[in-house]
């Protein structure tokens, strides 16, 4: 008999540390006011636990830092590019690999080359930058997750799945107007929920039948692969790399932010098979990002991504990663804090509509809750609700389907005691939920307003 521990430990030792700073409630109150009640506008040093995003905020490994010293900074044809390209090709199998400075640049290059006004792009759920880049081309970003994906408390193994009948309908009803369809893995805006291999395969078949290229928004491909291994029959014995390779085999291309499952602080790529489209993308890339063998990145960034793509499919890493999120989810669920169930890959999503039913959507309950989490515990999160998605392209307001507060876990950064602290903050705030009040928009730009909007308490104070 051998020892089978139940505790899933962080599969790394900490070699370098960065102090984090406690602040007083008064200091946080003043910081919120100075930031126009927008957590994006806070100074990071005023945040104790920063869960604003898992994007580019991870800790790199010693192997990544070591790799960076080998960065080849040649303008064209650098060795670092070929190492990067080989790492991307091993996982995705795509013919053309185009580096970009981050995910949204890959989106802009792809949509700038493939979309025209009046087009439609179906996706399980577009991420905010993806949607904005589609709409910037005058096209429609169509979200068609399965119905279960829109019910926060409902348990389903693959809530990130795309609604296949809706996809088929849209492909049939818009001939010549769907230049590509996408699936986002995992579905970030839909709660970090995974997409099953069966769903990816079926969506790919539908698209092929209609002659429409099928792309993955692959930011969290490794986390998605881990969920497939855990939850989908037939995949338990496969490695995350094999599963990821199969996922990509059904697609014609992908956009990727390497700031997530590239385990890097910056970078991204667009990868695809179509020679003609790749040529047009590379021409646009040269115009705005850089030569196709660096795409706006330093050689050392390409090295960090090449190593990161290798490390991210490690089973111990993925087990720890998914377990840390689940661990917080279990503590919250045990105390009846409503969260998106089951817990997703990179974040906990609190269902603010369920937690704060007394705040109307017009007073942005998820935004208000995120402010209170900072005020009481120094925790920074992000609203994924009507501030982020409420403004329509024609300028009108439509309440978002869900009002979520996302607590995104940076990769390899926080330990179990940080997570225990988080749980304490969340349970404390849950205890005063009836007293939390809504907020209003004071001033906001027309697009991506959540990044820079100035807000204020709608009734004089955040907590009555
Ligand atoms: C699903 C998804 N797509 C695209 C992006 C955009 O990537 P980037 O922030 O690197 O531009 C993100 C970033 O959070 C994302 O989560």
């Amino acid at each position: 008999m051998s020892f089978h521990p139940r505790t899933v430990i962080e599969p790394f030792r900490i070699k370098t540390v960065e102090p984090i700073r406690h602040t007083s409630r008064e200091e946080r109150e003043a910081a919120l006011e100075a930031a126009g009640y927008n957590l994006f506008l806070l100074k990071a040093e005023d945040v104790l636990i920063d869960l604003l995003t898992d994007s580019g905020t991870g800790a790199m490994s010693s192997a990544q830092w070591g790799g960076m010293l080998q960065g080849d900074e040649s303008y064209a044809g650098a060795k670092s590019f070929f190492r990067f390209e080989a790492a991307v090709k091993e996982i995705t199998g795509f013919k053309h690999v185009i580096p970009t400075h981050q995910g949204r640049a890959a989106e802009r290059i792809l949509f700038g080359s493939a979309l025209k006004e009046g087009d439609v792009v179906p996706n399980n759920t577009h991420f905010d930058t993806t949607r904005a880049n589609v709409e910037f081309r005058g096209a429609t970003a169509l979200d068609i997750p399965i119905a279960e994906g829109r019910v926060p408390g409902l348990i389903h193994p693959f809530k990130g799945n795309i609604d296949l009948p809706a996809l088929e309908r849209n492909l049939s009803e818009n001939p010549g107007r769907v230049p590509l369809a996408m699936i986002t893995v995992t579905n970030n805006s839909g709660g970090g929920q995974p997409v099953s291999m069966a769903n990816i395969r079926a969506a790919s078949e539908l698209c092929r039948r209609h002659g429409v290229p099928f792309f993955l928004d692959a930011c969290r491909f490794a986390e998605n692969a881990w969920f497939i291994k855990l939850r989908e029959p037939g995949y338990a014995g496969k490695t995350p790399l094999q599963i990821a390779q199969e996922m990509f085999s059904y697609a014609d291309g992908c956009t990727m932010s390497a700031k997530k499952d590239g385990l890097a602080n910056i970078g991204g790529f667009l990868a695809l098979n179509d020679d003609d489209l790749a040529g047009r993308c590379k021409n646009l890339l040269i115009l705005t990002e850089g030569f196709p063998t660096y795409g706006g990145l330093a050689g050392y960034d390409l090295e960090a991504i090449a190593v990161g793509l290798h490390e991210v499919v490690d089973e111990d890493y993925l087990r720890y990663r998914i377990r840390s999120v689940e661990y917080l989810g279990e503590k919250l669920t045990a105390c009846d804090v409503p969260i998106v169930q089951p817990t997703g890959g990179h974040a906990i999503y609190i269902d603010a509509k369920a937690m704060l039913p007394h705040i109307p959507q017009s007073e942005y309950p998820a935004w208000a809750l995120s402010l209170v989490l900072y005020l009481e515990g120094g925790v920074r999160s992000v609203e994924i609700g009507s501030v982020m998605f409420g403004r329509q392209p024609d300028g009108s307001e439509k309440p978002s389907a869900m009002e979520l507060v996302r607590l995104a876990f940076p990769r390899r950064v926080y330990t179990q005691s940080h997570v225990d602290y988080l749980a304490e903050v969340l349970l404390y705030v849950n205890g005063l939920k009836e007293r939390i009040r809504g907020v209003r928009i004071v001033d906001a730009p027309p697009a991506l307003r959540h990044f820079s909007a100035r807000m204020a308490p709608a009734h004089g104070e955040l907590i009555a």
Side-chain angles (χ1 to χ4, degrees):
M1 230 177 72
S2 58
F3 174 51
H4 293 291
R6 282 183 47 244
T7 309
V8 176
I9 63 167
E10 287 88 359
F12 47 78
R13 298 190 293 187
I14 297 168
K15 204 178 235 178
T16 308
V17 296
E18 182 186 3
I20 50 177
R21 192 170 72 94
H22 283 278
T23 48
S24 66
R25 194 177 187 280
E26 289 69 39
E27 283 174 311
R28 294 193 293 274
E29 209 162 10
L32 273 182
E33 208 181 317
Y37 296 91
N38 184 336
L39 299 179
F40 280 102
L41 304 180
L42 285 176
K43 285 187 183 150
E45 65 174 357
D46 292 336
V47 176
L48 184 64
I49 306 272
D50 203 344
L51 306 182
L52 182 69
T53 173
D54 63 323
S55 180
T57 50
M60 292 210 298
S61 67
S62 48
Q64 284 178 292
W65 286 111
M68 286 178 78
L69 287 177
Q70 311 213 10
D72 175 352
E73 303 304 338
S74 305
Y75 188 92
K79 284 194 292 257
S80 300
F81 170 73
F82 294 108
R83 278 195 279 269
F84 164 84
E85 185 190 42
V88 175
K89 280 192 171 175
E90 187 197 3
I91 297 170
T92 67
F94 296 130
K95 190 169 165 195
H96 301 280
V97 177
I98 302 173
T100 58
H101 79 271
Q102 60 184 91
R104 70 199 67 184
E107 292 164 359
R108 199 189 63 77
I109 299 286
L110 174 64
F111 301 149
S113 308
L115 303 193
K116 58 180 186 334
E117 214 174 311
D119 282 344
V120 179
V121 179
N123 197 329
N124 46 354
T125 310
H126 290 81
F127 183 66
D128 58 358
T129 60
T130 326
R131 164 172 293 279
N133 272 297
V134 169
E135 290 172 352
F136 187 66
R137 298 291 301 164
T140 301
L142 186 73
D143 289 345
I144 42 169
I146 55 169
E148 292 88 335
R150 295 194 198 265
V151 190
L154 189 114
I155 305 267
H156 181 289
F158 292 105
K159 279 171 97 171
N161 282 355
I162 198 165
D163 181 337
L164 293 167
L167 176 61
E168 166 123 66
R169 212 169 38 251
N170 276 284
L171 293 171
S172 310
E173 285 172 1
N174 297 295
R177 284 180 56 218
V178 185
L180 60 100
M182 293 187 93
I183 286 189
T184 305
V185 291
T186 55
N187 189 9
N188 183 6
S189 303
Q193 297 293 320
V195 181
S196 71
M197 192 72 85
N199 191 256
I200 294 173
R201 196 185 303 118
S204 162
E205 277 164 18
L206 276 179
C207 288
R208 293 221 165 125
R209 216 178 309 140
H210 286 83
V212 168
F214 172 60
F215 276 68
L216 290 178
D217 175 339
C219 295
R220 298 177 182 81
F221 73 93
E223 292 171 7
N224 200 82
W226 184 252
F227 280 116
I228 289 177
K229 182 176 170 74
L230 295 184
R231 297 181 183 169
E232 192 158 350
Y235 288 94
K238 300 208 167 161
T239 65
L241 175 62
Q242 288 169 329
I243 296 171
Q245 286 167 333
E246 185 180 336
M247 283 161 49
F248 286 110
S249 74
Y250 299 122
D252 300 294
C254 73
T255 54
M256 169 81 187
S257 168
K259 300 170 75 174
K260 285 84 170 174
D261 278 354
L263 298 182
N265 298 129
I266 194 70
F269 57 84
L270 167 64
L272 69 169
N273 286 330
D274 185 306
D275 295 333
D276 179 54
L277 181 57
R280 283 184 280 134
C281 288
K282 283 182 195 174
N283 288 338
L284 192 53
L285 188 87
I286 292 174
L287 197 65
T288 60
E289 292 276 309
F291 193 71
T293 60
Y294 73 88
L297 294 172
Y300 54 69
D301 295 322
L302 296 169
E303 296 283 353
I305 298 167
V307 177
L309 287 173
H310 174 71
E311 292 179 350
V312 78
V313 288
D314 176 68
E315 297 211 356
D316 284 343
Y317 163 73
L318 286 168
R319 183 178 298 110
Y320 134 81
R321 169 88 179 140
I322 302 303
R323 178 61 195 149
S324 353
V325 177
E326 188 184 51
Y327 174 75
L328 178 58
E330 283 169 4
K331 282 178 177 277
L332 300 181
T333 306
C335 296
D336 295 325
V337 177
I339 59 169
V340 172
Q341 299 282 7
T343 48
H346 64 293
I348 290 286
Y349 294 71
I350 303 172
D351 179 357
K353 226 199 260 185
M355 185 169 166
L356 308 172
H358 58 285
I359 303 183
Q361 281 187 272
S362 56
E363 290 183 10
Y364 310 113
W367 191 279
L369 178 58
S370 71
L371 295 179
V372 172
L373 290 176
Y374 173 72
L375 182 64
E376 299 299 339
V379 173
R380 178 153 68 169
S381 54
V382 71
E383 186 246 30
I384 301 203
S386 292
V387 178
M388 188 181 273
F389 291 123
R391 195 188 157 100
Q392 305 304 299
D394 65 3
S396 64
E397 281 283 324
K398 185 172 147 217
S400 170
M402 295 193 266
E403 299 290 347
L404 304 175
V405 172
R406 187 188 71 178
L407 301 150
F409 284 44
R411 293 168 179 77
R412 307 188 288 203
V413 169
Y414 294 117
T415 64
Q416 188 168 343
S417 64
H418 291 115
V419 178
D420 288 337
Y421 170 82
L422 273 172
E424 265 189 64
V425 174
L426 288 160
L427 298 185
Y428 175 76
V429 168
N430 192 45
L432 47 83
K433 62 187 176 189
E434 280 91 9
R435 292 168 45 214
I436 299 176
R437 295 290 170 263
V439 291
R440 63 185 171 85
I441 294 177
V442 176
D443 187 26
L448 296 174
R449 66 183 179 182
H450 52 289
F451 286 127
S452 53
R454 299 199 78 85
M455 311 286 289
H459 305 283
E461 50 196 355
L462 285 176
I463 304 174

